Amino acid sequence: MTLNLLVRVFRYREGLIPGFTRRYDIGFLVQYERHDTMEAAILREKRLKEWRRAWKVDPIEARNEQWDYRAIGPGMARRLRISPGATSD
């Protein structure tokens, strides 16, 4: 849960927050939800944490079948990854 989606996406994308996303280099937003109150957002997050992975995938694929990067809409450019040995022309 966050009050500032762009800051949260940036921190995860750049690996600034320790945990699963940094360990596995997953800085890729595929879904986010807005809630009217902080209490509703916290309740939703707690419920999602109890779900099995397959149950979490279904709502994502219902809204984002191709798992496109969703932070571009709110204003965050995709992180560029350069492979070792690659050259920039």
Side-chain angles (χ1 to χ4, degrees):
M1 199 214 62
T2 184
L3 295 175
N4 190 327
L5 182 61
L6 289 178
V7 170
R8 177 85 173 232
V9 168
F10 176 80
R11 288 179 179 160
Y12 274 101
R13 186 189 76 174
E14 298 302 317
L16 302 176
I17 299 175
F20 183 87
T21 56
R22 183 166 78 183
R23 186 177 316 120
Y24 296 100
D25 195 24
I26 306 171
F28 196 80
L29 179 71
V30 293
Q31 175 166 326
Y32 61 93
E33 298 177 2
R34 290 178 179 248
H35 296 275
D36 292 332
T37 65
M38 191 175 300
E39 291 80 14
I42 291 169
L43 181 61
R44 174 69 169 161
E45 187 171 25
K46 286 181 179 182
R47 287 183 177 158
L48 284 172
K49 287 183 185 244
E50 296 174 1
W51 287 12
R52 296 179 182 184
R53 186 177 194 284
W55 298 349
K56 295 175 186 178
V57 167
D58 289 342
I60 293 170
E61 291 187 342
R63 294 185 182 117
N64 185 2
E65 188 175 340
Q66 301 300 316
W67 289 63
D68 295 324
Y69 188 60
R70 291 296 193 213
I72 292 172
M76 180 70 65
R78 178 178 283 176
R79 175 175 61 169
L80 298 175
R81 295 182 189 207
I82 299 175
S83 301
T87 60
S88 58
D89 297 314

